[in-house]
Amino acid sequence: MSLNMGIRRLLFLRLRRRTSFRSVSFFEQFASFEALESVIWKSTVTDTVAAIEAGPEWGGFTAQQKLLTFYYAYCDRILDHRSFFSR
């Protein structure tokens, strides 16, 4: 077992303790830890974009302002959930 796999297993067990799902149902939805990570990263981007597009000033931003707003909001969202994103 590699160190990386050991960390993933620890994270999985910690997640399982915090939620009420069973291992079987987890692996029915996600074939691997990579699949789970992919969904989390994608949802982080999607949620960030949805949040900033909902702002009243979004329509008046230039392309540069939109990109900078995304970067700031994305980093802020990651910092809010840094226990997942840091290794």
Side-chain angles (χ1 to χ4, degrees), residues 1 11 15 22 28 31 36 39 44 52 60 67 75 80-81 83 85 87:
M1 176 188 299
L11 291 173
L15 176 66
R22 294 179 29 231
E28 286 173 355
L36 174 61
V39 167
T44 302
I52 59 178
L67 183 61
C75 291
D80 286 344
H81 304 287
S83 62
F85 292 101
R87 294 207 182 225

Side-chain angles (χ1 to χ4, degrees), residues 37-71:
E37 288 174 348
S38 177
V39 167
I40 292 171
W41 280 103
K42 183 178 179 183
S43 69
T44 302
V45 170
T46 303
D47 294 347
T48 302
V49 170
I52 59 178
E53 285 180 342
E57 60 281 334
W58 179 255
F61 283 173
T62 65
Q64 181 182 15
Q65 290 170 322
K66 287 180 179 182
L67 183 61
L68 291 173
T69 300
F70 170 77
Y71 286 154

Side-chain angles (χ1 to χ4, degrees), residues 6-58:
I7 291 170
R8 286 184 174 170
R9 178 157 175 72
L10 177 64
L11 291 173
F12 170 74
L13 293 174
R14 194 179 304 164
L15 176 66
R16 187 169 170 217
R17 261 188 258 129
R18 291 182 185 175
T19 61
S20 61
F21 71 83
R22 294 179 29 231
S23 297
V24 173
S25 63
F26 173 82
F27 287 109
E28 286 173 355
Q29 290 185 327
F30 305 104
S32 66
F33 289 109
E34 289 81 9
L36 174 61
E37 288 174 348
S38 177
V39 167
I40 292 171
W41 280 103
K42 183 178 179 183
S43 69
T44 302
V45 170
T46 303
D47 294 347
T48 302
V49 170
I52 59 178
E53 285 180 342
E57 60 281 334
W58 179 255

